Amino acid sequence: MGIKRRHWAWSAAPLALALLAATGCDSAPDARAAEPTPAPSAARPVARVCAKPAAGPAKAPAGAVTVDPAVVGDLAAKTKSSPPNTTFWLRPGKHRLDPDRYAQVIPKEGNRYLGAPGAVLDGGKKNQYAFGGSARNVTIRYLTVQRFVAPHDEGVVNHDSADGWVIEHATIQHNSGAGLMAGARQRVRASCLRGNGQYGMNAYKAKGRISDLVVEGNEIVGNNTGDWERRREGCGCTGGIKFWAVNGADVRGNWVHDNRGTGLWADTNNNDFRIENNVLEANDGAALIYETSYNAVIRNNTIRRNNWVEGRREAKAGDSFPFATVYVSESGGEPRVRARTDKIEIYRNVLENNWSGITLWENADRFCNSPANTSSGDCTLLVKDTDRCVKPAIGKPPLYADCRWKTQRVDIHDNRFVLDKSVVKCTEKCDRMAVLANYGTYPDWSPYQGERVAEAITHQQDNHWHDNVYVGPWKFVAHDPSRVLTFGQWQGKRYRQDAGSTLGPRAGD
């Protein structure tokens, strides 16, 4: 699958929908431009769909095929013998597939699967996959899918990333691998993605790109029970949801909480994301990572108590890197990549008592064809032929700019950042806002050696904080981890950040 890992390394030198709340309805048109920033004490409504799942139809809809839980394999057999566009109604009870580990339901185009109250499709810790195949426009509603054992990097529902699937009011829980995969035009609404071994959802497609993805009003909780980052150090292969090469996604009104590792992680050539009106809280790692990707709007989110586990661990180990709860890594606005915006705009969010705030980072050694490119084999969306990114051509325009993912055109404004160290239970390194890079060192043909990238991300790539409110003992980092600044220095003539912003010394003031 080409799993990648975020690369923190400091080389060799001194992340109108008042929550559909599990209704599964389409959101209203985008009319939130004038919304005020909510106060940090005003809790945003959350999608408590795991505790209160919506009930499916108690009787079979007209024309539906009834599936009997007493008959092992009934769902797969009736799917096989029925034509496309058939509706299946699963009676209350525990439904089983045949005991073969590869036994699964292979839907036909337009099939609909509706669970009665109490209908569960259970893999019995034997079957790897629940629903697979390439059929388009399949719908799954009101069904619990649990205890399947998909391999690492694979998924249980929509295993083959078919297009046009709709998953609504579903509970997908306690599976190995990913609970859910994703295809183009997929809709995941008002569902509970809980306690899965690797991801709640893995938005990855082996062939082609995923486009027009909607993730709305879901509860995404307790995923990565397998603790894969510890089992495969540096794999970058976990998260409540992981997105790979998704072109166009609306992630709104979700409650993403208590996941082991990152809450939402977009990794490698994603583009055109709107991440809005979510509650992201109590994830062990960052609430949001946007990595080697393009063009996003991140707004009106409540982000609280994230990154306590990973941030504390790294600080205890002596790492001076500003591990943040929103981490923008080699990602930025790019007008040449078509999207609804041409920058990364982070605004009207409330960040409260996280381990640090927002870090903008660029690894000077990570670019196309570099051995430090942890997105191995991938290049930017601006270079179609990766082999062009070599010496001497890479040292001159346009490849000097186009062969690397750049953290540029990031606009951070009208947010509220609150930190009370007595709540976070930290004394240092949990209070950082940062824009920085490492010093370029390798390979020996790299044109980005020395301080070039650190200077660019800090001073030349249109990255700006402004009109924010800070409450608490915040510090600021610019250029490299050694430059820890006061608010006055951060705003001063050299860095010119946070014009129009205010800093209050005590949380609650």
Side-chain angles (χ1 to χ4, degrees):
M1 181 177 287
I3 294 299
K4 302 95 181 172
R5 168 67 172 167
R6 64 184 184 268
H7 192 75
W8 308 106
W10 179 253
S11 299
L15 149 42
L17 188 57
L19 248 183
L20 296 176
T23 64
C25 300
D26 289 332
S27 68
D30 183 10
R32 290 176 290 276
E35 286 186 2
T37 301
S41 59
R44 184 178 298 280
V46 294
R48 299 183 183 278
V49 294
C50 292
K52 299 179 179 179
K59 295 182 179 180
V65 173
T66 297
V67 182
D68 188 351
V71 180
V72 173
D74 198 39
L75 180 59
K78 287 179 175 174
T79 295
K80 185 176 181 179
S81 63
S82 300
N85 300 304
T86 297
T87 296
F88 299 88
W89 179 70
L90 285 74
R91 289 184 182 275
K94 186 178 290 186
H95 296 255
R96 301 273 195 177
L97 301 176
D98 290 335
D100 182 87
R101 65 175 179 168
Y102 296 115
Q104 59 190 286
V105 182
I106 306 295
K108 296 175 183 175
E109 184 166 349
N111 280 1
R112 295 172 295 279
Y113 297 88
L114 307 179
V120 176
L121 180 60
D122 193 300
K125 296 294 183 180
K126 296 179 180 178
N127 306 119
Q128 292 189 352
Y129 317 119
F131 294 91
S134 60
R136 297 176 299 173
N137 304 327
V138 172
T139 298
I140 299 171
R141 290 192 176 106
Y142 307 110
L143 182 63
T144 294
V145 180
Q146 65 184 29
R147 301 205 314 149
F148 286 80
V149 286
H152 184 259
D153 294 337
E154 299 186 37
V156 169
V157 175
N158 197 10
H159 168 261
D160 298 295
S161 302
D163 296 338
W165 284 40
V166 175
I167 294 92
E168 291 180 331
H169 305 292
T171 297
I172 304 174
Q173 64 182 7
H174 310 318
N175 303 287
S176 300
L180 177 63
M181 301 296 285
R185 304 182 310 282
Q186 181 157 300
R187 305 291 183 259
V188 184
R189 295 191 179 106
S191 293
C192 171
L193 309 181
R194 174 171 58 189
N196 296 289
Q198 188 179 0
Y199 306 105
M201 183 171 75
N202 185 13
Y204 171 82
K205 193 174 179 72
K207 295 183 179 180
R209 287 169 66 84
I210 297 171
S211 61
D212 188 20
L213 176 64
V214 174
V215 182
E216 181 175 30
N218 305 283
E219 184 173 353
I220 302 153
V221 53
N223 296 289
N224 186 28
T225 60
D227 202 5
W228 279 98
E229 299 291 345
R230 287 186 182 273
R231 293 166 68 177
R232 297 188 182 181
E233 186 176 357
C235 73
C237 59
T238 59
I241 300 181
K242 193 74 181 279
F243 304 89
W244 312 86
V246 174
N247 186 28
D250 290 316
V251 182
R252 58 197 178 216
N254 303 284
W255 186 20
V256 184
H257 67 103
D258 294 284
N259 294 284
R260 178 176 282 160
T262 302
L264 302 174
W265 188 344
D267 185 355
T268 309
N269 288 340
N270 297 278
N271 175 51
D272 195 12
F273 272 52
R274 286 190 178 179
I275 301 171
E276 57 190 357
N277 293 315
N278 302 283
V279 176
L280 311 175
E281 64 180 328
N283 297 288
D284 285 0
L288 171 64
I289 297 176
Y290 205 71
E291 180 177 3
T292 53
S293 294
Y294 301 89
N295 301 324
V297 172
I298 301 165
R299 63 186 177 188
N300 298 331
N301 300 286
T302 298
I303 302 172
R304 57 198 178 203
R305 302 190 305 277
N306 295 281
N307 203 30
W308 288 14
V309 174
E310 293 190 7
R312 195 182 316 278
R313 182 178 66 227
E314 299 303 327
K316 186 176 180 179
D319 198 322
S320 63
F321 188 89
F323 287 84
T325 197
V326 174
Y327 175 54
V328 180
S329 174
E330 292 100 3
S331 295
E334 177 49 74
R336 291 174 291 173
V337 178
R338 185 176 179 180
R340 291 167 288 182
T341 182
D342 61 2
K343 57 185 176 181
I344 292 180
E345 191 172 12
I346 304 173
Y347 68 102
R348 286 203 297 269
N349 303 284
V350 175
L351 288 84
E352 183 175 7
N353 290 328
N354 301 284
W355 190 280
S356 287
I358 298 174
T359 288
L360 308 187
W361 161 254
E362 198 168 323
N363 176 8
D365 298 324
R366 185 179 187 181
F367 53 91
C368 306
N369 284 332
S370 168
N373 178 16
T374 52
S375 297
S376 55
D378 287 293
C379 194
T380 70
L381 294 180
L382 303 175
V383 179
K384 302 301 181 184
D385 182 3
T386 306
D387 291 340
R388 296 172 60 206
C389 295
V390 294
K391 186 180 178 180
I394 195 173
K396 300 177 181 179
L399 295 180
Y400 179 83
D402 292 352
C403 288
R404 64 178 300 109
W405 294 273
K406 292 193 293 186
T407 302
Q408 63 179 6
R409 298 171 59 86
V410 182
D411 189 8
I412 302 168
H413 65 92
D414 294 288
N415 302 285
R416 184 174 177 86
F417 301 101
V418 178
L419 176 63
D420 185 338
K421 287 187 174 182
S422 69
V423 173
V424 182
K425 294 182 172 57
C426 70
T427 57
E428 61 179 351
K429 297 181 183 178
C430 65
D431 51 5
R432 307 299 165 92
M433 202 74 56
V435 53
L436 75 165
N438 59 331
Y439 294 171
T441 59
Y442 67 98
D444 58 9
W445 51 270
S446 169
Y448 311 111
Q449 296 188 33
E451 299 184 35
R452 296 180 183 183
V453 174
E455 285 292 311
I457 190 175
T458 306
H459 299 295
Q460 301 162 12
Q461 292 179 182
D462 295 324
N463 298 313
H464 299 289
W465 280 255
H466 62 94
D467 298 299
N468 298 295
V469 173
Y470 295 91
V471 180
W474 289 95
K475 295 183 175 67
F476 303 85
V477 179
H479 190 275
D480 65 70
S482 70
R483 298 191 190 182
V484 181
L485 312 173
T486 66
F487 190 51
Q489 291 170 322
W490 176 250
Q491 288 187 309
K493 187 179 297 184
R494 184 172 185 182
Y495 299 105
R496 301 180 183 275
Q497 291 293 354
D498 263 318
S501 298
T502 60
L503 173 67
R506 294 174 54 192
D509 288 357

